[in-house]
Amino acid sequence: MPGTTSVPGATTAPGTPTADPHPTEVLVEVVVNGGLAGVRNKLVVHYDGSWTSRSGTEPPRTGRQTPAEAAELRAALEDPAYARVPERPTGGPVFDGFQYYVTYRHRLVVSGDGERPAALQRVFAALPEGGPPTNP
């Protein structure tokens, strides 16, 4: 079309990521809330495997997954079974339990303690340090 330009890295539609994201773009963000101490901790992993974990008032921790670990995390998130994980908890709340908020490609999945379907468990197993810490 006349007047149309192509911008490298642009999305094809609002909320639709490109097929080839920038290495420093966020791959997945996991936030944990709750528990007796009322924690709110966060883990952010980028496509290149670099990650940052924040816990309470502690200084952030950073690291980098190996290429194989980063590939396993991407595979777990891209698994069609993960796309079928319910977006909201299906069971009753666990009093003083934790809630986990997993954001991948603009889709938020909320899960509580004891209700991680196998596909979500696979994602957590592939996260650096098993996901964000649950300690304050």
Side-chain angles (χ1 to χ4, degrees):
M1 285 179 79
T4 302
T5 59
S6 176
V7 178
T11 58
T12 56
T16 305
T18 61
D20 203 13
H22 191 274
T24 59
E25 188 177 328
V26 173
L27 171 65
V28 66
E29 177 182 286
V30 183
V31 175
V32 60
N33 283 336
L36 288 172
V39 302
R40 179 170 170 79
N41 300 331
K42 183 194 299 190
L43 171 67
V44 176
V45 183
H46 300 269
Y47 277 90
D48 66 0
S50 63
W51 57 268
T52 302
S53 180
R54 299 181 189 281
S55 178
T57 59
E58 297 293 317
R61 291 186 329 280
T62 59
R64 182 177 298 274
Q65 293 182 300
T66 66
E69 291 168 335
E72 176 56 33
L73 177 57
R74 285 191 306 275
L77 289 163
E78 294 167 3
D79 184 339
Y82 178 72
R84 293 187 300 272
V85 170
E87 292 182 357
R88 295 288 177 248
T90 55
V94 175
F95 297 105
D96 297 325
F98 295 102
Q99 282 200 311
Y100 302 88
Y101 300 81
V102 181
T103 305
Y104 169 66
R105 290 193 174 175
H106 307 285
R107 179 177 181 248
L108 174 65
V109 171
V110 180
S111 177
D113 279 339
E115 60 175 331
R116 287 189 200 158
L120 184 57
Q121 188 56 44
R122 180 179 174 205
V123 169
F124 270 76
L127 289 170
E129 301 183 337
T134 55
N135 56 332

